[in-house]
Amino acid sequence: MEILFSKSRSLNYLLQSSRTCWHHYRNKSAAIFFIPRRFESIKAGEQLDVYNYKEDYHDGHDEHQTLNFPGGKVPITSQMKFISESSEKRLPCYRVLDDDGYLIPGTIFEQVSKGLALNMYSTMVTLQTMDTIFYEAQRQGRLSFYLTSTGEEAINIASAAALTPDDIVLPQYREPGVLLWRGFTLQEFADQLFGNKADYGKGRQMPIHYGSNKLNYFTVSSPLTTQLPQAAGVAYSLKMDKKEACVVVYFGDGSTSEGDFHAGLNFAAVMEAPVIFLCRNNGWAISTPVTEQFRSDGIAIKGQAYGIRSIRVDGNDALAVYSATRAARQMAIKERRPILVEAMTYRVSHHSTSDDSTKYRCVKEIEQWKTAKSPITRFRKWIQRNGWWADQNETGLRKNSRKQIVEAIQAAEKVEKPPLTDLFSDVYDKMPSNLQEQERFIRDTIKRYPKEYPFDVPQ
């Protein structure tokens, strides 16, 4: 399926290089196998470089004269011509459904069955309802912190639906829908948010730092962009183990301003790791707009600089996100290469419960994206036109989702907190002396000031 992917390398070149290396080094160690493959890539790249140069740069150069530099041959030109800092045309955005939920004529996309479409829609609605209720719970003082995915439900659910359970997810902090799709229950979400004894992190993580070994979902962490170099490494391990799976790492546009973004992409490209870099370009890095973050044409264009095939997709179009992610997954696994996907969307919600986005952006703009450009509304119109959904289905779904979430909160609040000992366990096989001293100190302090500490934490 071809959907506006820009190719940075020839598929024939990659396949030829892979076959040659495997023939000569199939009985050798992983390290020996890897090194000759890099030299094969350089050799093949020499021909590729010259070929592309002939296509794009005709002015004043002799096609028979080249200079051989490390990394490949380079054509010679008598013209002093700088590469333009930007293209006259912006990268196009792949789309399947228009704002009213109609299929765009001539569009190419991955067909989805009725069952899959309804599952995607109901999960998007559940995610939206979950965000609304948990956000309200935080405002009531029942939670210390929360962060929603409002306006980005299609990216969460559609991309998750395009993966398999064996694919490994490294999230940022706005991908609870991916975990919801994989089977993380509403009760498990509530237990983590309340940090009770049933929380897999034993109450040691801040709210929304979900994680699940069983569901191949790495635990969320607060430091920005650290998951990108990690994803490249995890993907390379899948490649070395010859697993039919890939890694999908999620991040926002603000993360692309971090050094780890560039390190992660470059490492994945050089090692040819099967990883999908999925960027939610939602317009804002907290209060910093994209216009103040970078001068390039968004994120997808950056892939070419690192030799990574890339695509820009409408993140509010569930069918487009699903189709692009499916295609990206197939290429990542079959061709053993990284793919960069830029999902264009808008962060309707505040950045978190610690933020008031009306201080730095227009309320009318927020409302327009919340209503007229809602990914849930657009997808609902499409399934209704197919005769798969009706208003009575909508009423029942939302009522049932709200009931389940409220019950999960009520149950989570009744579960006792993890014992104090859990603050110091699970890090070392034998607790070192400094941690033993810290535990004694905090216990002594609690005895001296018992009213200053929660009464429901077992000692």
Side-chain angles (χ1 to χ4, degrees), residues 37-99:
R37 185 172 186 184
R38 292 181 64 185
F39 284 110
E40 286 289 338
S41 298
I42 292 172
K43 184 177 180 180
E46 294 175 0
Q47 300 173 357
L48 183 67
D49 291 346
V50 176
Y51 175 75
N52 286 340
Y53 200 88
K54 292 176 184 177
E55 285 185 333
D56 303 328
Y57 201 121
H58 296 285
D59 297 336
H61 89 273
D62 185 341
E63 63 183 37
H64 300 294
Q65 295 187 30
T66 60
L67 290 176
N68 194 6
F69 287 103
K73 292 182 179 179
V74 180
I76 296 173
T77 178
S78 60
Q79 302 297 311
M80 183 169 62
K81 184 175 181 180
F82 290 85
I83 299 173
S84 175
E85 69 279 6
S86 62
S87 173
E88 294 181 358
K89 296 181 179 179
R90 297 200 65 184
L91 288 176
C93 184
Y94 170 61
R95 201 182 203 195
V96 177
L97 299 175
D98 64 18
D99 287 341

Side-chain angles (χ1 to χ4, degrees), residues 171-188:
Q172 193 178 24
Y173 41 58
R174 217 175 291 276
E175 284 78 38
V178 178
L179 196 51
L180 181 65
W181 177 267
R182 292 195 157 199
F184 207 68
T185 67
L186 295 173
Q187 191 61 60
E188 288 175 307

Side-chain angles (χ1 to χ4, degrees), residues 142-281:
R142 299 162 80 178
L143 296 175
S144 62
F145 180 81
Y146 193 70
L147 187 151
T148 75
S149 306
T150 309
E152 302 175 48
E153 296 89 354
I155 298 175
N156 269 239
I157 306 306
S159 64
L163 306 175
T164 72
D166 292 331
D167 296 323
I168 298 175
V169 174
L170 278 80
Q172 193 178 24
Y173 41 58
R174 217 175 291 276
E175 284 78 38
V178 178
L179 196 51
L180 181 65
W181 177 267
R182 292 195 157 199
F184 207 68
T185 67
L186 295 173
Q187 191 61 60
E188 288 175 307
F189 279 110
D191 289 336
Q192 196 285 328
L193 292 170
F194 282 91
N196 61 32
K197 197 173 182 178
D199 169 28
Y200 300 134
K202 300 183 179 182
R204 295 175 298 200
Q205 289 273 12
M206 66 181 290
I208 64 92
H209 281 197
Y210 314 111
S212 174
N213 289 337
K214 180 178 67 175
L215 301 175
N216 280 330
Y217 189 96
F218 274 50
T219 300
V220 177
S221 62
S222 288
L224 202 63
T225 327
T226 54
Q227 73 274 21
L228 269 69
Q230 295 167 1
V234 174
Y236 190 65
S237 73
L238 292 178
K239 175 182 175 180
M240 297 301 291
D241 291 339
K242 298 179 175 59
K243 296 286 185 65
E244 286 295 312
C246 70
V247 170
V248 183
V249 56
Y250 295 84
F251 55 100
D253 49 271
S255 293
T256 67
S257 298
E258 297 285 335
D260 278 349
F261 167 79
H262 305 280
L265 264 66
N266 189 57
F267 184 74
V270 172
M271 306 300 282
E272 297 178 340
V275 53
I276 301 173
F277 294 97
L278 206 161
C279 176
R280 295 172 285 93
N281 187 346

Side-chain angles (χ1 to χ4, degrees), residues 396-458:
L397 171 62
R398 291 187 177 274
K399 181 178 180 181
N400 185 54
S401 296
R402 185 174 184 85
K403 179 176 180 292
Q404 291 183 45
I405 296 165
V406 170
E407 290 176 349
I409 290 177
Q410 293 171 343
E413 287 180 312
K414 295 176 182 178
V415 179
E416 68 177 3
K417 301 298 182 182
L420 184 63
T421 305
D422 283 354
L423 276 176
F424 306 94
S425 61
D426 295 343
V427 177
Y428 300 96
D429 180 36
K430 294 182 179 180
M431 190 184 300
S433 58
N434 63 315
L435 286 186
Q436 294 177 12
E437 181 180 353
Q438 290 176 30
E439 184 176 6
R440 286 194 299 270
F441 176 81
I442 193 171
R443 289 188 183 280
D444 291 342
T445 306
I446 292 173
K447 288 179 180 178
R448 293 174 59 188
Y449 307 101
K451 294 182 180 180
E452 302 299 324
Y453 289 85
F455 66 89
D456 58 344
V457 177

